[in-house]
Amino acid sequence: MSEQISDTPAELAELRRVAELVASEAAARLRTLPAPRSTGADPGAVSTKSSPTDVVTAADKALEELVRGRLGELRPGEPVFGEEEAGDAAAARWVVDPIDGTVNYLYGLPWYAVSVAAVRDGVSLAGAVVEPASGRVWTAARGAGATLDGRALRVNEETDLSQSLVGTGFGYAAERRARQARLVAGMLPRVRDVRRNGAASLDLCGVAAGWLDGYLEHGLGWWDWAAAALIATEAGAVVRHPAPPTFEAGPDDGLGPDATLVAVPGIARDLGALARELGAAEI
């Protein structure tokens, strides 16, 4: 256990404050940077990672550097694990996604976010997700609830899966995307509708806010859900996410080891059962 991060109410409140401050500063910085596809933009400002569709921009790297620097000033000695520069996951006390929804950002779509979470032994203690385009600020601390712009959040009370709006997302490998598409095709006749917005953190926050009833995706990174899964949990959602890197996975539940399922309590069991029926474990 960390001696630097405790779970007293006062310390959790401070971690929440720091997460919100740093994420908000990063979002403000992002608003000042040139759009990567704007006229005259540097063509070298966009590169790829795991596949030609998995992009990273100069802004991703600049924001992670900013966040790491600010956390180093505000919480010295606490290791950071980030999407772009990684780090020691086992020792991490902060988990950072400088831009969740990079493809949306690349194309000028407004659905992307900065995510910052305080963690201990792989468990999220506090976090913030900030949308640069809208200015929305989502925060939570363990046992202290979740808010959107200071307003307390609570999930929907939906109990009928057939009347539920469900979010999803797709990975970057072509073969996995094809399997994910088949699962979604099987899901469509059994739910109200499906949304694919392109930023997992915002979709999980959307469940917390009542904008979605559930969410299912395979292959998310720790940085994608570290803050947002806590926000959804504190708003009353049932949350199932992968084990963080280097941490032991839980028992096999038939969804696949890297599945993230977030749902309102009234449909969580049925959504999980449908996902298993449609082959989630093989995604």
Side-chain angles (χ1 to χ4, degrees), residues 4 23 27 54 60 68 78 87 102 116 121 131 137 151 156 166 177 191 196 210 247 250 260-261 267 279:
Q4 295 180 328
D54 184 7
D60 288 273
R68 286 176 178 271
E78 296 181 352
T102 299
V116 177
D121 299 324
E131 294 180 73
V137 177
R151 175 178 60 83
N156 287 334
V166 178
R177 290 164 71 91
V191 299
R196 193 276 200 261
F247 288 88
T260 299
L261 189 150
I267 70 160

Side-chain angles (χ1 to χ4, degrees), residues 140-159:
R142 192 174 183 186
T147 62
L148 166 57
D149 295 335
R151 175 178 60 83
L153 295 174
R154 196 68 191 168
V155 298
N156 287 334
E157 298 182 359
E158 184 60 65
T159 59

Side-chain angles (χ1 to χ4, degrees), residues 254-271:
L255 292 174
D258 67 350
T260 299
L261 189 150
V262 179
V264 303
I267 70 160
R269 177 182 293 183
D270 289 343
L271 181 58

Side-chain angles (χ1 to χ4, degrees), residues 162-256:
S162 70
Q163 298 302 305
S164 297
L165 186 62
V166 178
T168 194
F170 302 109
Y172 295 109
E175 292 183 0
R176 168 164 268 202
R177 290 164 71 91
R179 294 193 296 271
Q180 290 173 316
R182 287 193 291 271
L183 186 149
V184 171
M187 185 182 293
L188 271 169
R190 311 274 289 273
V191 299
R192 181 189 293 275
D193 209 343
V194 173
R195 294 289 181 269
R196 193 276 200 261
N197 296 319
S201 63
L202 294 180
D203 283 326
L204 270 59
C205 288
V207 176
W211 302 345
L212 292 170
D213 300 304
Y215 184 82
L216 173 66
E217 183 172 357
H218 289 74
L220 295 182
W222 192 11
W223 47 80
D224 293 312
W225 56 260
L230 177 64
I231 292 167
T233 297
E234 289 297 320
V238 176
V239 175
R240 187 272 195 208
H241 56 65
T246 77
F247 288 88
E248 185 177 352
D252 183 7
D253 60 3
L255 292 174

